[in-house]
Amino acid sequence: MSYRKTLKLICGFAGGSAVVVLAAAAADSRGYFGEQRGEAASRWSRFTVLQAAQPAWTPASHTPAPTGHSWDFNWDKRDPSALSNGKKKETATEDPSSEQDNGKPKATRNILLIRHSQYNLSGNSDKERILTPLGREQAELTGQRLAALGLKYDILIHSSMARATETANIISKHLPGVDLLSCDLLREGAPIEPVPPVTHWKPDAVQYHEDGARIEAAFRRYIHRADPKQKEDSFEIIVCHANVIRYFVCRALQFPPEGWLRMGLNNGSITWLTIRPSGRVALRTLGDSGFMPPDKLTRT
């Protein structure tokens, strides 16, 4: 085997820059690059250039720098320690630690955010933008998936828009006994101007102003830790829209909310947020649609 083939083989297995430099040094010292050992210019042009191409390794250069933003445990304004500050005691004998324990959440909230199914894009009004035949199939599959999870769902809340309402009604057939609730706050809209900007979608500033306040109000109503009176973990389903869900995810994880448009969600997909009593939030799934056959997947 030639030296050049050996060098390629070593580099292919190792994949490290150090191996490349060492192998190049050995090749250069033996004249395998085609020059004689006495040619100093060749050494400089081959080996030194390779060295210059390899950045010096330090732990700092290979470790992402923290942003400096710590987790805000009172992001939903329901942290018991923050709520107890400044409260006037009822009696002098009252135990402050007991009071805080009684007001401390103990249950975990699981919020399953469902994007509506495919709908008729050519409709002139919301009432005409109903689900397509494929969209109804997608809703059936989502309902079957939610039922198969075997969870005890507490409520099914949905946007009042036609496509979300129809999706929720189909899903509810697979979840008997789960109450439905319609909410105008969950309607689709423009939550906040995305960064980086896009050219294919540019709402007016007034739309961001109006929709943003409404969608933020929906977030504050539905995305928060459990009430201290809640004793058992809960599982709540919210059927709404891609913009709303993506904004909720960014806000709940304390990511920059203007990054919401960097994510994509399939129709009928499931996004699962878990909110612990401490205020910690976890994203269990984002846009899960693996339960659908490939020919049923859409993102309209």
Side-chain angles (χ1 to χ4, degrees), residues 1 18 44-45 59 78 113 136 170 172 175 180 203 213 219 228 265 271 281 284 291:
M1 182 184 294
W44 172 259
S45 62
R78 295 168 187 251
L113 301 161
R136 290 190 286 273
I170 294 174
S172 68
L175 307 173
L180 279 92
F219 173 82
L265 299 174
T271 296
V281 180
R284 296 190 61 173
F291 51 88

Side-chain angles (χ1 to χ4, degrees), residues 120 123-131 160-163 166 187:
N120 175 27
N124 294 321
S125 65
D126 178 55
K127 291 183 179 180
E128 295 178 356
R129 293 169 186 161
I130 59 176
L131 300 186
S160 56
M161 297 187 81
R163 54 189 182 270
E166 189 176 359
R187 295 172 72 89

